[in-house]
Amino acid sequence: MSTTPSLRVALIAVASLALLAGCGNSSDADSDGKNAGGGSSSSKVTVVASTNVYGDITEQIGGDKVDVTSIISDPDQDPHSYEASTQNQLALSKAKVVIENGGGYDDFVDRMLKSSGNSGAERINAVKVSGKTAPEGEELNEHVWYDFPTVSKLADRIAAALGKADSANADTFTKNAEAFKKKLTALETKEADIKKAHHGEGVGITEPVPLYLTEAAGLDNKTPEEFSEAIEEGDDVSPKTLQETLKLYSGKKVAALVYNEQTSGPQTEKVKKAAENAGIPVVPVTETLPEGKDYIGWMTSNVDALAAALNK
């Protein structure tokens, strides 16, 4: 039997209330080994982030003064199709700070936070922090964590929220945010170096995920919009659009393919194969942190890989 979205949320809320009633001594932990209830120590600021991207940024700023739960942390999980659990809702019910991407990317956070009854949490929406809006007649590219100026603004916003929750350590959070932003500046310098050497060169993508990065590097996305939109939405690409996309590689009209590994399928695999057959470098990217990487290390690898591909 299928359920409507509203009924599904209601069922989750009921299950969560039962869980809250019986979990006083629970030792359940999330995939990172952290207590899914939102914190192992009452002295720490409990934070829930929709993905481990925002979770890691928060840890860089909060250090040992925060207890962070990242709802999505599996690099093989497509965030667009994620279905949150009762454990997630329990964490949200106890969070002092909640960080979401926004822009339609992780709407489950809004639904579950509302059902949790936690109206006092400080909420941070990365898309709203970015100030970005959709161009007229187009959709917003919500993947704002690939935009370093946005992440810099977000760092300040996170530091302010943590400082509000823990005023005794507000100065520490501010200093940590400044140190983090200096590392972002170094990444922007790398982007500027790519732009200086390769401005106007064409690249292909499978999804809009890396576009803030490629645009900052001065590169021209040649992929038909119909292709990348269909892949992002999980729809089939028309044969005409697929052939138009494949010709970018057989005709060597692009210098690299930036490929989202988290949403691969038969049609994106055809594009990847076409690039490889043509000797065009493939630069893999993901939407969440790979295992063993922090945000700065991850983005440094992405920028360096793009530069290396273009320099071939």
Side-chain angles (χ1 to χ4, degrees):
M1 180 179 70
S2 62
T3 60
T4 65
S6 59
L7 178 57
R8 191 178 301 116
V9 170
L11 290 173
I12 290 173
V14 171
S16 297
L17 289 173
L19 183 60
L20 282 166
C23 69
N25 296 316
S26 173
S27 60
D28 288 347
D30 67 8
S31 61
D32 293 321
K34 294 179 181 177
N35 191 293
S40 58
S41 170
S42 60
S43 64
K44 296 184 178 183
V45 181
T46 52
V47 181
V48 173
S50 63
T51 75
N52 62 0
V53 175
Y54 297 123
D56 179 77
I57 293 171
T58 302
E59 288 175 339
Q60 299 302 312
I61 297 168
D64 62 1
K65 306 300 181 184
V66 296
D67 192 351
V68 180
T69 296
S70 296
I71 294 178
I72 302 176
S73 57
D74 184 352
D76 295 323
Q77 172 71 55
D78 179 8
H80 292 279
S81 59
Y82 184 79
E83 292 190 12
S85 68
T86 53
Q87 190 178 36
N88 301 148
Q89 183 145 357
L90 176 60
L92 284 165
S93 73
K94 296 184 176 183
K96 293 181 180 178
V97 178
V98 175
I99 306 171
E100 62 184 330
N101 186 77
Y105 185 79
D106 44 13
D107 287 343
F108 64 87
V109 173
D110 289 336
R111 293 194 299 268
M112 297 193 77
L113 185 60
K114 183 177 181 180
S115 297
S116 76
N118 183 0
S119 60
E122 184 82 8
R123 296 174 60 181
I124 301 174
N125 181 306
V127 168
K128 290 182 179 179
V129 170
S130 77
K132 295 182 181 298
T133 57
E136 186 174 355
E138 298 181 24
E139 293 187 3
L140 173 71
N141 178 10
E142 71 272 23
H143 307 94
V144 293
W145 63 93
Y146 270 88
D147 180 64
F148 302 139
T150 289
V151 177
S152 182
K153 293 179 184 177
L154 184 65
D156 286 335
R157 183 68 181 83
I158 291 172
L162 296 179
K164 181 178 179 181
D166 179 6
S167 59
N169 289 295
D171 288 344
T172 297
F173 300 143
T174 299
K175 290 177 182 177
N176 289 346
E178 290 301 322
F180 178 79
K181 291 194 297 180
K182 286 182 179 179
K183 296 176 182 178
L184 291 174
T185 300
L187 284 170
E188 291 183 72
T189 299
K190 284 177 176 283
E191 288 179 326
D193 290 341
I194 296 175
K195 186 173 183 178
K196 184 177 179 180
H198 300 282
H199 185 267
E201 290 187 22
V203 293
I205 62 169
T206 53
E207 276 197 71
V209 173
L211 280 181
Y212 288 118
L213 169 58
T214 59
E215 289 168 358
L219 305 172
D220 183 15
N221 171 35
K222 298 290 188 181
T223 304
E225 190 173 342
E226 293 83 356
F227 180 90
S228 54
E229 282 188 359
I231 296 301
E232 184 176 28
E233 296 298 326
D235 298 331
D236 288 333
V237 179
S238 71
K240 179 181 178 181
T241 299
L242 179 59
Q243 288 305 311
E244 183 182 349
T245 303
L246 293 174
K247 285 179 181 178
L248 292 174
Y249 305 95
S250 61
K252 297 190 175 182
K253 297 179 180 179
V254 294
L257 165 64
V258 188
Y259 181 89
N260 183 7
E261 290 187 308
Q262 279 178 276
T263 54
S264 61
Q267 293 173 316
T268 58
E269 285 296 317
K270 285 183 179 180
V271 170
K272 182 181 178 183
K273 188 67 174 178
E276 292 171 341
N277 289 342
I280 294 171
V282 176
V283 181
V285 295
T286 57
E287 298 187 47
T288 54
L289 283 175
E291 187 175 355
K293 291 273 190 181
D294 63 16
Y295 177 82
I296 296 296
W298 174 44
M299 285 297 160
T300 298
S301 295
N302 288 334
V303 175
D304 288 348
L306 179 60
L310 295 170
N311 286 333
K312 287 184 178 179

